[in-house]
PDB file of all heavy atoms in Angstrom:
ATOM      1  N   SER A 465     -10.790   9.289  25.994  1.00  0.00           N
ATOM      2  CA  SER A 465     -11.686   9.083  24.864  1.00  0.00           C
ATOM      3  C   SER A 465     -10.928   8.315  23.792  1.00  0.00           C
ATOM      4  O   SER A 465      -9.826   8.712  23.395  1.00  0.00           O
ATOM      5  CB  SER A 465     -12.192  10.417  24.295  1.00  0.00           C
ATOM      6  OG  SER A 465     -12.939  10.197  23.111  1.00  0.00           O
ATOM      7  N   SER A 466     -11.500   7.218  23.362  1.00  0.00           N
ATOM      8  CA  SER A 466     -10.844   6.405  22.333  1.00  0.00           C
ATOM      9  C   SER A 466     -10.819   7.104  20.989  1.00  0.00           C
ATOM     10  O   SER A 466     -10.088   6.703  20.093  1.00  0.00           O
ATOM     11  CB  SER A 466     -11.567   5.057  22.195  1.00  0.00           C
ATOM     12  OG  SER A 466     -12.936   5.269  21.856  1.00  0.00           O
ATOM     13  N   SER A 467     -11.605   8.174  20.863  1.00  0.00           N
ATOM     14  CA  SER A 467     -11.660   8.895  19.585  1.00  0.00           C
ATOM     15  C   SER A 467     -10.983  10.251  19.658  1.00  0.00           C
ATOM     16  O   SER A 467     -11.286  11.136  18.880  1.00  0.00           O
ATOM     17  CB  SER A 467     -13.124   9.089  19.163  1.00  0.00           C
ATOM     18  OG  SER A 467     -13.831   9.843  20.132  1.00  0.00           O
ATOM     19  N   SER A 468     -10.078  10.425  20.670  1.00  0.00           N
ATOM     20  CA  SER A 468      -9.378  11.709  20.792  1.00  0.00           C
ATOM     21  C   SER A 468      -8.521  11.955  19.554  1.00  0.00           C
ATOM     22  O   SER A 468      -7.718  11.112  19.162  1.00  0.00           O
ATOM     23  CB  SER A 468      -8.486  11.709  22.043  1.00  0.00           C
ATOM     24  OG  SER A 468      -9.275  11.628  23.200  1.00  0.00           O
ATOM     25  N   LYS A 469      -8.710  13.115  18.942  1.00  0.00           N
ATOM     26  CA  LYS A 469      -7.993  13.422  17.702  1.00  0.00           C
ATOM     27  C   LYS A 469      -6.512  13.653  17.994  1.00  0.00           C
ATOM     28  O   LYS A 469      -6.157  14.408  18.886  1.00  0.00           O
ATOM     29  CB  LYS A 469      -8.593  14.670  17.050  1.00  0.00           C
ATOM     30  CG  LYS A 469     -10.026  14.461  16.578  1.00  0.00           C
ATOM     31  CD  LYS A 469     -10.558  15.719  15.902  1.00  0.00           C
ATOM     32  CE  LYS A 469     -11.980  15.504  15.405  1.00  0.00           C
ATOM     33  NZ  LYS A 469     -12.518  16.702  14.747  1.00  0.00           N
ATOM     34  N   GLY A 470      -5.663  13.002  17.223  1.00  0.00           N
ATOM     35  CA  GLY A 470      -4.227  13.191  17.364  1.00  0.00           C
ATOM     36  C   GLY A 470      -3.654  12.574  18.605  1.00  0.00           C
ATOM     37  O   GLY A 470      -2.524  12.868  18.973  1.00  0.00           O
ATOM     38  N   SER A 471      -4.401  11.721  19.278  1.00  0.00           N
ATOM     39  CA  SER A 471      -3.921  11.135  20.517  1.00  0.00           C
ATOM     40  C   SER A 471      -3.862   9.627  20.374  1.00  0.00           C
ATOM     41  O   SER A 471      -4.873   8.982  20.118  1.00  0.00           O
ATOM     42  CB  SER A 471      -4.834  11.524  21.683  1.00  0.00           C
ATOM     43  OG  SER A 471      -4.427  10.867  22.857  1.00  0.00           O
ATOM     44  N   VAL A 472      -2.665   9.085  20.532  1.00  0.00           N
ATOM     45  CA  VAL A 472      -2.500   7.637  20.449  1.00  0.00           C
ATOM     46  C   VAL A 472      -3.002   6.966  21.711  1.00  0.00           C
ATOM     47  O   VAL A 472      -3.590   5.902  21.687  1.00  0.00           O
ATOM     48  CB  VAL A 472      -1.009   7.292  20.199  1.00  0.00           C
ATOM     49  CG1 VAL A 472      -0.796   5.795  20.217  1.00  0.00           C
ATOM     50  CG2 VAL A 472      -0.549   7.886  18.880  1.00  0.00           C
ATOM     51  N   SER A 473      -2.786   7.611  22.858  1.00  0.00           N
ATOM     52  CA  SER A 473      -3.145   7.009  24.141  1.00  0.00           C
ATOM     53  C   SER A 473      -4.600   7.226  24.513  1.00  0.00           C
ATOM     54  O   SER A 473      -5.085   6.642  25.482  1.00  0.00           O
ATOM     55  CB  SER A 473      -2.255   7.601  25.247  1.00  0.00           C
ATOM     56  OG  SER A 473      -2.500   8.985  25.391  1.00  0.00           O
ATOM     57  N   GLY A 474      -5.310   8.080  23.775  1.00  0.00           N
ATOM     58  CA  GLY A 474      -6.692   8.392  24.132  1.00  0.00           C
ATOM     59  C   GLY A 474      -6.789   9.504  25.147  1.00  0.00           C
ATOM     60  O   GLY A 474      -7.884   9.855  25.590  1.00  0.00           O
ATOM     61  N   LEU A 475      -5.647  10.068  25.557  1.00  0.00           N
ATOM     62  CA  LEU A 475      -5.622  11.167  26.527  1.00  0.00           C
ATOM     63  C   LEU A 475      -5.063  12.406  25.833  1.00  0.00           C
ATOM     64  O   LEU A 475      -3.939  12.377  25.333  1.00  0.00           O
ATOM     65  CB  LEU A 475      -4.749  10.803  27.724  1.00  0.00           C
ATOM     66  CG  LEU A 475      -5.217   9.642  28.602  1.00  0.00           C
ATOM     67  CD1 LEU A 475      -4.151   9.317  29.641  1.00  0.00           C
ATOM     68  CD2 LEU A 475      -6.532   9.968  29.278  1.00  0.00           C
ATOM     69  N   SER A 476      -5.841  13.460  25.808  1.00  0.00           N
ATOM     70  CA  SER A 476      -5.358  14.718  25.233  1.00  0.00           C
ATOM     71  C   SER A 476      -5.068  15.703  26.355  1.00  0.00           C
ATOM     72  O   SER A 476      -5.684  15.665  27.415  1.00  0.00           O
ATOM     73  CB  SER A 476      -6.395  15.312  24.277  1.00  0.00           C
ATOM     74  OG  SER A 476      -7.531  15.774  24.974  1.00  0.00           O
ATOM     75  N   SER A 477      -4.100  16.578  26.088  1.00  0.00           N
ATOM     76  CA  SER A 477      -3.686  17.554  27.098  1.00  0.00           C
ATOM     77  C   SER A 477      -4.851  18.461  27.497  1.00  0.00           C
ATOM     78  O   SER A 477      -5.080  18.722  28.675  1.00  0.00           O
ATOM     79  CB  SER A 477      -2.526  18.383  26.560  1.00  0.00           C
ATOM     80  OG  SER A 477      -2.187  19.427  27.439  1.00  0.00           O
ATOM     81  N   ASN A 478      -5.603  18.935  26.514  1.00  0.00           N
ATOM     82  CA  ASN A 478      -6.715  19.844  26.809  1.00  0.00           C
ATOM     83  C   ASN A 478      -7.784  19.168  27.662  1.00  0.00           C
ATOM     84  O   ASN A 478      -8.310  19.765  28.609  1.00  0.00           O
ATOM     85  CB  ASN A 478      -7.337  20.344  25.494  1.00  0.00           C
ATOM     86  CG  ASN A 478      -6.418  21.282  24.747  1.00  0.00           C
ATOM     87  OD1 ASN A 478      -5.535  21.896  25.339  1.00  0.00           O
ATOM     88  ND2 ASN A 478      -6.595  21.376  23.446  1.00  0.00           N
ATOM     89  N   ASN A 479      -8.099  17.909  27.337  1.00  0.00           N
ATOM     90  CA  ASN A 479      -9.114  17.192  28.110  1.00  0.00           C
ATOM     91  C   ASN A 479      -8.659  16.964  29.545  1.00  0.00           C
ATOM     92  O   ASN A 479      -9.444  17.078  30.492  1.00  0.00           O
ATOM     93  CB  ASN A 479      -9.447  15.855  27.447  1.00  0.00           C
ATOM     94  CG  ASN A 479     -10.261  16.022  26.183  1.00  0.00           C
ATOM     95  OD1 ASN A 479     -10.814  17.089  25.930  1.00  0.00           O
ATOM     96  ND2 ASN A 479     -10.323  14.981  25.370  1.00  0.00           N
ATOM     97  N   LEU A 480      -7.379  16.622  29.723  1.00  0.00           N
ATOM     98  CA  LEU A 480      -6.856  16.398  31.078  1.00  0.00           C
ATOM     99  C   LEU A 480      -6.911  17.678  31.906  1.00  0.00           C
ATOM    100  O   LEU A 480      -7.316  17.654  33.076  1.00  0.00           O
ATOM    101  CB  LEU A 480      -5.422  15.885  30.998  1.00  0.00           C
ATOM    102  CG  LEU A 480      -5.235  14.386  30.718  1.00  0.00           C
ATOM    103  CD1 LEU A 480      -3.781  14.081  30.419  1.00  0.00           C
ATOM    104  CD2 LEU A 480      -5.714  13.556  31.905  1.00  0.00           C
ATOM    105  N   ILE A 481      -6.502  18.796  31.309  1.00  0.00           N
ATOM    106  CA  ILE A 481      -6.489  20.060  32.048  1.00  0.00           C
ATOM    107  C   ILE A 481      -7.909  20.511  32.398  1.00  0.00           C
ATOM    108  O   ILE A 481      -8.180  20.914  33.538  1.00  0.00           O
ATOM    109  CB  ILE A 481      -5.754  21.143  31.237  1.00  0.00           C
ATOM    110  CG1 ILE A 481      -4.262  20.803  31.151  1.00  0.00           C
ATOM    111  CG2 ILE A 481      -5.935  22.516  31.861  1.00  0.00           C
ATOM    112  CD1 ILE A 481      -3.466  21.732  30.271  1.00  0.00           C
ATOM    113  N   LEU A 482      -8.829  20.417  31.432  1.00  0.00           N
ATOM    114  CA  LEU A 482     -10.213  20.806  31.704  1.00  0.00           C
ATOM    115  C   LEU A 482     -10.841  19.902  32.769  1.00  0.00           C
ATOM    116  O   LEU A 482     -11.536  20.388  33.674  1.00  0.00           O
ATOM    117  CB  LEU A 482     -11.029  20.755  30.414  1.00  0.00           C
ATOM    118  CG  LEU A 482     -10.736  21.841  29.377  1.00  0.00           C
ATOM    119  CD1 LEU A 482     -11.519  21.581  28.096  1.00  0.00           C
ATOM    120  CD2 LEU A 482     -11.070  23.217  29.934  1.00  0.00           C
ATOM    121  N   SER A 483     -10.587  18.605  32.684  1.00  0.00           N
ATOM    122  CA  SER A 483     -11.116  17.685  33.694  1.00  0.00           C
ATOM    123  C   SER A 483     -10.517  17.987  35.064  1.00  0.00           C
ATOM    124  O   SER A 483     -11.214  17.941  36.087  1.00  0.00           O
ATOM    125  CB  SER A 483     -10.818  16.239  33.288  1.00  0.00           C
ATOM    126  OG  SER A 483     -11.410  15.916  32.054  1.00  0.00           O
TER     127      SER A 483
END
Side-chain angles (χ1 to χ4, degrees):
S465 174
S466 58
S467 60
S468 295
K469 294 182 179 180
S471 175
V472 176
S473 64
L475 295 173
S476 69
S477 174
N478 290 337
N479 287 345
L480 279 170
I481 292 175
L482 289 174
S483 300

